[in-house]
Amino acid sequence: MTIRYAIRPADPGAHLFHVTVGLERPDPQGQHFALPAWNPGSYMIREFARHIVRLTALAGGRKLRVEKLDKHTWRCARTEEDVTLAYEVYAFDLSVRAAYLDPEQAFFNGAALLLAPLGRELEDCRLDIFPPAGVRAGSWQLLTGLQAARGTRAGEFGAYLARDYSELIDCPVQMGRFAQGRFDVLGVPHQIAISGRVARLDLHRLEADLTRVCEAHVRLFEPRQPRPPFERYVFLTLAVDEGYGGLEHRNSCALICRRDDLPHLGMKETTEGYRRFLGLVSHEYFHAWNVKRIRPQAFSPYDLGRENYTRLLWAFEGFTAYYDDLMLARAGLLSQAQYLEALGRTMTTVMQRSARLKQSLAESSFDAWIKYYRQDENAPNSVVSYYQKGALVALALDLAIRGESGGRRCLDDVMRWLWRQWRLAGPSYRGIEEDGIVDAVTRATGLDLGRALRAWTEGTRDPDFSTLLLAVGIRLERKLALDSPHFALLGLKLQGASGEARVAQVFDGGPAQQAGLSPGDVLMALDELRVTPAKLDALLARYSPGDAIQMLAFRREELKRFDLRLARQPPPRFVLEVDERASAAAQRRRVAWCGERRR
Ligand SMILES: [Zn+2]
């Protein structure tokens, strides 16, 4: 039987969607319905049900009693008749994770809007999507990874189909007026929608560059017969003034980016912002393999009502974060120098924070729900990023494999091995066990790197990057990092670049912490000269490491005096440099790893 959903953007001004769910032959003991507590890919309990404003049930044309059992579950009274639920959802979360509606545009994840009839999640679904009330027909477009039903043209309002509930909520929908690009990747149609005003957007360049990125990913996983694992793919993009993020899905992704990061007509160079956007695209597309298909056993299937614990997010997010920029380099969209610079930045960020010595990547993965996704001011001292350090472990693993196999094997072989397991298993795929990555590395490469990998992921040991990088002819240099003097010399970060100089974070063991400065303190004067966010670095630039200074700051509106000694040994900055004197074999391995050397 088909479960029939309908979504109406009923009141865009009040940000209200009207949703109905029609179910034939409900559980005669009283049908349960539930809304997911979280959205796969975003590991935090979001309790979407808090946005359901009112809910009623009908059976046989009469109102049916509904009882709420917990924060996201409802039970209908017993009935033999078909049941229809009708409810309103407030949608005003302009992120990739939930739902949003206003008179200009709408976006939703099914997890935030569509109640599942419990016990019936494997049945096929039909979703009718109506245009918003008061909007002229044809003036809004629609894009989704869902398949259009017969009679509905893809990209128009109408009926869409999903094989089951998990597919239904894995295909977000973007609506409104948006720029739209189309391109083919190895014979498979791809589309990108961009909502939000972008001046003189260069769609052709986007299409051309995305084609290169996507094709590189497909060829990584399927070098012999390159073909994506989906029939079509859509990028749903919202361009805003400030914002950055993405969420992966099986044949689509939702992106939010800065409008200034997108290319404009006549732009020849690849700006820092555009690199950031391409990195985001590359990241989410890689997830179509790594996590949407190759996935931990803990996600097979997802339990949408509660936290799903795995110690492996470093492999699913970290490896993806490693490959996002690497694939841009291999596709020729980043030069070797740009790629090495980006790696150096990641290394600097991770190594400058003490969190990596306190929490392992496995622990960070497991606790993502309460730590990585709920970071507070102490996060740099307590939460290691399974994205950034996970990417560095992927780098270390890749280099170790390349070094030990004399360049005959690399991390690509591990990804392909994992991919083959998914393809061979088909519907009986059970996912990767919690200690399964070590096994995959051994089987894919014939090398025993288990001890090192466990020390880097289950323990807190830093990989020996200096030695590992020699395999690809790269020298790791530690340089004095004085580009951000207030961080380097004081060991703190400010909340913003304007307004008052309020301390956002205080780093472990740094001068600010030793002198007793806290997050929330407002810096007022340094050696009796006024401090503002704009002036602080210029003031500090006149001092040397180890100098004594006096800082005045307000704490809870009370003026305090702090005597500090500027850091004697500011935390280093890591720079990766090509070693021209490295062996020819190492030079060849470098090209195989991150592409040709260009400008
Ligand atoms: Zn990701």
Side-chain angles (χ1 to χ4, degrees), residues 250-272:
R250 64 185 66 185
N251 70 341
S252 65
C253 62
L255 308 171
I256 189 158
C257 70
R258 296 177 67 237
R259 66 183 96 238
D260 291 345
D261 288 355
L262 295 168
H264 60 80
L265 296 171
M267 180 176 117
K268 290 279 179 288
E269 74 280 24
T270 300
T271 59
E272 183 58 35

PDB file of all heavy atoms in Angstrom, residues 250-272:
ATOM      1  N   ARG A 250      21.384  10.777  -0.584  1.00  0.00           N
ATOM      2  CA  ARG A 250      21.769   9.682  -1.477  1.00  0.00           C
ATOM      3  C   ARG A 250      21.932  10.126  -2.933  1.00  0.00           C
ATOM      4  O   ARG A 250      22.779   9.596  -3.640  1.00  0.00           O
ATOM      5  CB  ARG A 250      20.780   8.527  -1.376  1.00  0.00           C
ATOM      6  CG  ARG A 250      19.378   8.861  -1.838  1.00  0.00           C
ATOM      7  CD  ARG A 250      18.442   7.698  -1.578  1.00  0.00           C
ATOM      8  NE  ARG A 250      18.287   7.489  -0.130  1.00  0.00           N
ATOM      9  CZ  ARG A 250      17.602   6.472   0.381  1.00  0.00           C
ATOM     10  NH1 ARG A 250      17.052   5.574  -0.406  1.00  0.00           N
ATOM     11  NH2 ARG A 250      17.463   6.363   1.682  1.00  0.00           N
ATOM     12  N   ASN A 251      21.107  11.058  -3.399  1.00  0.00           N
ATOM     13  CA  ASN A 251      21.288  11.534  -4.770  1.00  0.00           C
ATOM     14  C   ASN A 251      21.126  13.055  -4.842  1.00  0.00           C
ATOM     15  O   ASN A 251      20.698  13.603  -5.849  1.00  0.00           O
ATOM     16  CB  ASN A 251      20.328  10.835  -5.743  1.00  0.00           C
ATOM     17  CG  ASN A 251      18.885  11.263  -5.515  1.00  0.00           C
ATOM     18  OD1 ASN A 251      18.555  11.779  -4.458  1.00  0.00           O
ATOM     19  ND2 ASN A 251      18.043  11.050  -6.499  1.00  0.00           N
ATOM     20  N   SER A 252      21.433  13.706  -3.729  1.00  0.00           N
ATOM     21  CA  SER A 252      21.372  15.162  -3.694  1.00  0.00           C
ATOM     22  C   SER A 252      22.160  15.641  -2.496  1.00  0.00           C
ATOM     23  O   SER A 252      22.620  14.833  -1.679  1.00  0.00           O
ATOM     24  CB  SER A 252      19.922  15.641  -3.578  1.00  0.00           C
ATOM     25  OG  SER A 252      19.362  15.252  -2.339  1.00  0.00           O
ATOM     26  N   CYS A 253      22.332  16.948  -2.414  1.00  0.00           N
ATOM     27  CA  CYS A 253      22.856  17.522  -1.182  1.00  0.00           C
ATOM     28  C   CYS A 253      22.280  18.918  -1.059  1.00  0.00           C
ATOM     29  O   CYS A 253      21.852  19.526  -2.048  1.00  0.00           O
ATOM     30  CB  CYS A 253      24.382  17.542  -1.158  1.00  0.00           C
ATOM     31  SG  CYS A 253      25.121  18.549  -2.440  1.00  0.00           S
ATOM     32  N   ALA A 254      22.227  19.402   0.174  1.00  0.00           N
ATOM     33  CA  ALA A 254      21.789  20.766   0.441  1.00  0.00           C
ATOM     34  C   ALA A 254      23.012  21.568   0.837  1.00  0.00           C
ATOM     35  O   ALA A 254      23.824  21.103   1.641  1.00  0.00           O
ATOM     36  CB  ALA A 254      20.748  20.766   1.555  1.00  0.00           C
ATOM     37  N   LEU A 255      23.158  22.745   0.232  1.00  0.00           N
ATOM     38  CA  LEU A 255      24.335  23.579   0.486  1.00  0.00           C
ATOM     39  C   LEU A 255      23.887  24.968   0.891  1.00  0.00           C
ATOM     40  O   LEU A 255      22.883  25.484   0.388  1.00  0.00           O
ATOM     41  CB  LEU A 255      25.189  23.706  -0.782  1.00  0.00           C
ATOM     42  CG  LEU A 255      25.596  22.421  -1.499  1.00  0.00           C
ATOM     43  CD1 LEU A 255      26.250  22.757  -2.835  1.00  0.00           C
ATOM     44  CD2 LEU A 255      26.544  21.620  -0.631  1.00  0.00           C
ATOM     45  N   ILE A 256      24.659  25.591   1.767  1.00  0.00           N
ATOM     46  CA  ILE A 256      24.459  27.004   2.062  1.00  0.00           C
ATOM     47  C   ILE A 256      25.835  27.657   1.940  1.00  0.00           C
ATOM     48  O   ILE A 256      26.827  27.095   2.399  1.00  0.00           O
ATOM     49  CB  ILE A 256      23.786  27.182   3.444  1.00  0.00           C
ATOM     50  CG1 ILE A 256      23.364  28.615   3.685  1.00  0.00           C
ATOM     51  CG2 ILE A 256      24.629  26.715   4.571  1.00  0.00           C
ATOM     52  CD1 ILE A 256      22.271  28.729   4.745  1.00  0.00           C
ATOM     53  N   CYS A 257      25.889  28.776   1.224  1.00  0.00           N
ATOM     54  CA  CYS A 257      27.197  29.379   0.978  1.00  0.00           C
ATOM     55  C   CYS A 257      27.067  30.895   0.927  1.00  0.00           C
ATOM     56  O   CYS A 257      25.959  31.439   0.871  1.00  0.00           O
ATOM     57  CB  CYS A 257      27.782  28.863  -0.337  1.00  0.00           C
ATOM     58  SG  CYS A 257      26.917  29.475  -1.784  1.00  0.00           S
ATOM     59  N   ARG A 258      28.208  31.571   0.931  1.00  0.00           N
ATOM     60  CA  ARG A 258      28.217  33.023   0.788  1.00  0.00           C
ATOM     61  C   ARG A 258      28.007  33.363  -0.691  1.00  0.00           C
ATOM     62  O   ARG A 258      28.638  32.763  -1.558  1.00  0.00           O
ATOM     63  CB  ARG A 258      29.558  33.599   1.254  1.00  0.00           C
ATOM     64  CG  ARG A 258      29.833  33.380   2.726  1.00  0.00           C
ATOM     65  CD  ARG A 258      31.209  33.900   3.092  1.00  0.00           C
ATOM     66  NE  ARG A 258      31.267  35.341   2.983  1.00  0.00           N
ATOM     67  CZ  ARG A 258      32.128  36.023   2.228  1.00  0.00           C
ATOM     68  NH1 ARG A 258      33.020  35.384   1.509  1.00  0.00           N
ATOM     69  NH2 ARG A 258      32.102  37.329   2.194  1.00  0.00           N
ATOM     70  N   ARG A 259      27.152  34.345  -0.948  1.00  0.00           N
ATOM     71  CA  ARG A 259      26.907  34.697  -2.360  1.00  0.00           C
ATOM     72  C   ARG A 259      28.206  35.170  -3.017  1.00  0.00           C
ATOM     73  O   ARG A 259      28.441  34.936  -4.191  1.00  0.00           O
ATOM     74  CB  ARG A 259      25.782  35.722  -2.475  1.00  0.00           C
ATOM     75  CG  ARG A 259      26.052  37.069  -1.891  1.00  0.00           C
ATOM     76  CD  ARG A 259      24.826  37.980  -1.995  1.00  0.00           C
ATOM     77  NE  ARG A 259      24.036  37.983  -0.766  1.00  0.00           N
ATOM     78  CZ  ARG A 259      22.759  37.654  -0.693  1.00  0.00           C
ATOM     79  NH1 ARG A 259      22.113  37.276  -1.774  1.00  0.00           N
ATOM     80  NH2 ARG A 259      22.113  37.684   0.453  1.00  0.00           N
ATOM     81  N   ASP A 260      29.077  35.811  -2.213  1.00  0.00           N
ATOM     82  CA  ASP A 260      30.334  36.317  -2.774  1.00  0.00           C
ATOM     83  C   ASP A 260      31.297  35.196  -3.153  1.00  0.00           C
ATOM     84  O   ASP A 260      32.273  35.437  -3.859  1.00  0.00           O
ATOM     85  CB  ASP A 260      31.027  37.252  -1.775  1.00  0.00           C
ATOM     86  CG  ASP A 260      30.258  38.555  -1.611  1.00  0.00           C
ATOM     87  OD1 ASP A 260      29.384  38.828  -2.457  1.00  0.00           O
ATOM     88  OD2 ASP A 260      30.538  39.282  -0.638  1.00  0.00           O
ATOM     89  N   ASP A 261      31.054  33.986  -2.648  1.00  0.00           N
ATOM     90  CA  ASP A 261      31.945  32.866  -2.974  1.00  0.00           C
ATOM     91  C   ASP A 261      31.659  32.305  -4.363  1.00  0.00           C
ATOM     92  O   ASP A 261      32.488  31.578  -4.921  1.00  0.00           O
ATOM     93  CB  ASP A 261      31.793  31.732  -1.935  1.00  0.00           C
ATOM     94  CG  ASP A 261      32.418  32.116  -0.596  1.00  0.00           C
ATOM     95  OD1 ASP A 261      33.039  33.186  -0.520  1.00  0.00           O
ATOM     96  OD2 ASP A 261      32.285  31.333   0.370  1.00  0.00           O
ATOM     97  N   LEU A 262      30.486  32.613  -4.918  1.00  0.00           N
ATOM     98  CA  LEU A 262      30.123  32.040  -6.223  1.00  0.00           C
ATOM     99  C   LEU A 262      30.756  32.851  -7.352  1.00  0.00           C
ATOM    100  O   LEU A 262      30.944  34.062  -7.220  1.00  0.00           O
ATOM    101  CB  LEU A 262      28.598  32.005  -6.353  1.00  0.00           C
ATOM    102  CG  LEU A 262      27.929  31.057  -5.342  1.00  0.00           C
ATOM    103  CD1 LEU A 262      26.428  31.279  -5.308  1.00  0.00           C
ATOM    104  CD2 LEU A 262      28.253  29.609  -5.679  1.00  0.00           C
ATOM    105  N   PRO A 263      31.096  32.214  -8.462  1.00  0.00           N
ATOM    106  CA  PRO A 263      31.813  32.918  -9.530  1.00  0.00           C
ATOM    107  C   PRO A 263      30.903  33.895 -10.274  1.00  0.00           C
ATOM    108  O   PRO A 263      29.706  33.640 -10.419  1.00  0.00           O
ATOM    109  CB  PRO A 263      32.247  31.785 -10.459  1.00  0.00           C
ATOM    110  CG  PRO A 263      31.249  30.702 -10.234  1.00  0.00           C
ATOM    111  CD  PRO A 263      30.835  30.797  -8.790  1.00  0.00           C
ATOM    112  N   HIS A 264      31.476  35.011 -10.697  1.00  0.00           N
ATOM    113  CA  HIS A 264      30.693  35.973 -11.482  1.00  0.00           C
ATOM    114  C   HIS A 264      31.257  36.046 -12.896  1.00  0.00           C
ATOM    115  O   HIS A 264      32.409  35.652 -13.146  1.00  0.00           O
ATOM    116  CB  HIS A 264      30.686  37.340 -10.808  1.00  0.00           C
ATOM    117  CG  HIS A 264      32.047  37.950 -10.632  1.00  0.00           C
ATOM    118  ND1 HIS A 264      32.705  38.586 -11.658  1.00  0.00           N
ATOM    119  CD2 HIS A 264      32.863  37.991  -9.558  1.00  0.00           C
ATOM    120  CE1 HIS A 264      33.876  38.999 -11.211  1.00  0.00           C
ATOM    121  NE2 HIS A 264      34.009  38.651  -9.944  1.00  0.00           N
ATOM    122  N   LEU A 265      30.439  36.534 -13.819  1.00  0.00           N
ATOM    123  CA  LEU A 265      30.849  36.638 -15.215  1.00  0.00           C
ATOM    124  C   LEU A 265      32.134  37.452 -15.302  1.00  0.00           C
ATOM    125  O   LEU A 265      32.269  38.476 -14.617  1.00  0.00           O
ATOM    126  CB  LEU A 265      29.751  37.311 -16.041  1.00  0.00           C
ATOM    127  CG  LEU A 265      28.436  36.524 -16.122  1.00  0.00           C
ATOM    128  CD1 LEU A 265      27.345  37.368 -16.770  1.00  0.00           C
ATOM    129  CD2 LEU A 265      28.647  35.223 -16.895  1.00  0.00           C
ATOM    130  N   GLY A 266      33.066  36.986 -16.078  1.00  0.00           N
ATOM    131  CA  GLY A 266      34.316  37.718 -16.252  1.00  0.00           C
ATOM    132  C   GLY A 266      35.376  37.357 -15.229  1.00  0.00           C
ATOM    133  O   GLY A 266      36.529  37.744 -15.362  1.00  0.00           O
ATOM    134  N   MET A 267      34.996  36.606 -14.173  1.00  0.00           N
ATOM    135  CA  MET A 267      35.973  36.203 -13.151  1.00  0.00           C
ATOM    136  C   MET A 267      36.829  35.076 -13.733  1.00  0.00           C
ATOM    137  O   MET A 267      36.318  34.044 -14.142  1.00  0.00           O
ATOM    138  CB  MET A 267      35.235  35.726 -11.895  1.00  0.00           C
ATOM    139  CG  MET A 267      36.120  35.284 -10.755  1.00  0.00           C
ATOM    140  SD  MET A 267      35.111  34.851  -9.285  1.00  0.00           S
ATOM    141  CE  MET A 267      35.500  33.109  -9.143  1.00  0.00           C
ATOM    142  N   LYS A 268      38.143  35.307 -13.776  1.00  0.00           N
ATOM    143  CA  LYS A 268      39.016  34.297 -14.368  1.00  0.00           C
ATOM    144  C   LYS A 268      39.664  33.426 -13.288  1.00  0.00           C
ATOM    145  O   LYS A 268      39.860  32.240 -13.461  1.00  0.00           O
ATOM    146  CB  LYS A 268      40.123  34.989 -15.187  1.00  0.00           C
ATOM    147  CG  LYS A 268      39.608  35.643 -16.468  1.00  0.00           C
ATOM    148  CD  LYS A 268      39.434  34.622 -17.590  1.00  0.00           C
ATOM    149  CE  LYS A 268      38.897  35.239 -18.855  1.00  0.00           C
ATOM    150  NZ  LYS A 268      37.466  35.601 -18.731  1.00  0.00           N
ATOM    151  N   GLU A 269      40.017  34.071 -12.178  1.00  0.00           N
ATOM    152  CA  GLU A 269      40.787  33.352 -11.164  1.00  0.00           C
ATOM    153  C   GLU A 269      39.874  32.468 -10.304  1.00  0.00           C
ATOM    154  O   GLU A 269      38.652  32.549 -10.391  1.00  0.00           O
ATOM    155  CB  GLU A 269      41.553  34.340 -10.281  1.00  0.00           C
ATOM    156  CG  GLU A 269      40.717  35.113  -9.281  1.00  0.00           C
ATOM    157  CD  GLU A 269      39.975  36.306  -9.881  1.00  0.00           C
ATOM    158  OE1 GLU A 269      39.709  36.308 -11.109  1.00  0.00           O
ATOM    159  OE2 GLU A 269      39.624  37.215  -9.118  1.00  0.00           O
ATOM    160  N   THR A 270      40.482  31.631  -9.490  1.00  0.00           N
ATOM    161  CA  THR A 270      39.748  30.862  -8.505  1.00  0.00           C
ATOM    162  C   THR A 270      39.992  31.530  -7.160  1.00  0.00           C
ATOM    163  O   THR A 270      41.050  31.369  -6.568  1.00  0.00           O
ATOM    164  CB  THR A 270      40.222  29.397  -8.486  1.00  0.00           C
ATOM    165  OG1 THR A 270      39.996  28.853  -9.788  1.00  0.00           O
ATOM    166  CG2 THR A 270      39.459  28.571  -7.482  1.00  0.00           C
ATOM    167  N   THR A 271      39.013  32.321  -6.737  1.00  0.00           N
ATOM    168  CA  THR A 271      39.187  33.069  -5.485  1.00  0.00           C
ATOM    169  C   THR A 271      39.173  32.107  -4.296  1.00  0.00           C
ATOM    170  O   THR A 271      38.722  30.967  -4.406  1.00  0.00           O
ATOM    171  CB  THR A 271      38.036  34.067  -5.291  1.00  0.00           C
ATOM    172  OG1 THR A 271      36.811  33.315  -5.261  1.00  0.00           O
ATOM    173  CG2 THR A 271      37.969  35.083  -6.421  1.00  0.00           C
ATOM    174  N   GLU A 272      39.633  32.611  -3.159  1.00  0.00           N
ATOM    175  CA  GLU A 272      39.607  31.817  -1.924  1.00  0.00           C
ATOM    176  C   GLU A 272      38.168  31.358  -1.628  1.00  0.00           C
ATOM    177  O   GLU A 272      37.933  30.214  -1.252  1.00  0.00           O
ATOM    178  CB  GLU A 272      40.151  32.688  -0.781  1.00  0.00           C
ATOM    179  CG  GLU A 272      40.262  32.001   0.562  1.00  0.00           C
ATOM    180  CD  GLU A 272      41.152  30.769   0.522  1.00  0.00           C
ATOM    181  OE1 GLU A 272      42.153  30.778  -0.223  1.00  0.00           O
ATOM    182  OE2 GLU A 272      40.834  29.795   1.226  1.00  0.00           O
TER     183      GLU A 272
END
